[in-house]
Amino acid sequence: MTKTAYTLALLRKGWHTALSSAKAGGCISLSQRVQAFRREGWDVRDKWLSTPSGSRVKAYRCLGRV
């Protein structure tokens, strides 16, 4: 399985941030991969999450094809 396919499978299972994707073996530049998925016709949602330290990060989830 390629990194792209693995990252898409991760996003279809639930919400992931760039850090959680990297830890799970997916890609590090998740936002760039998400843009590519959207161009290919995937419905990828995003939301902002607050970390315990107060910073904000984006989380992504794929719901399927548009």
Side-chain angles (χ1 to χ4, degrees), residues 6-20:
Y6 184 74
T7 302
L8 183 60
L10 280 176
L11 293 177
R12 294 196 68 175
K13 290 180 185 176
W15 293 97
H16 283 277
T17 63
L19 183 60
S20 68

Side-chain angles (χ1 to χ4, degrees), residues 2-65:
T2 64
K3 290 270 188 185
T4 302
Y6 184 74
T7 302
L8 183 60
L10 280 176
L11 293 177
R12 294 196 68 175
K13 290 180 185 176
W15 293 97
H16 283 277
T17 63
L19 183 60
S20 68
S21 173
K23 284 183 178 178
C27 68
I28 294 173
S29 57
L30 186 58
S31 62
Q32 291 177 356
R33 187 69 65 198
V34 164
Q35 287 177 353
F37 290 149
R38 286 176 174 159
R39 282 192 303 267
E40 293 172 7
W42 291 97
D43 182 15
V44 181
R45 305 287 170 93
D46 58 58
K47 66 179 179 179
W48 286 101
L49 299 177
S50 295
T51 64
S53 66
S55 61
R56 293 174 10 133
V57 295
K58 272 246 177 136
Y60 300 94
R61 179 177 185 167
C62 181
L63 299 178
R65 289 268 185 193

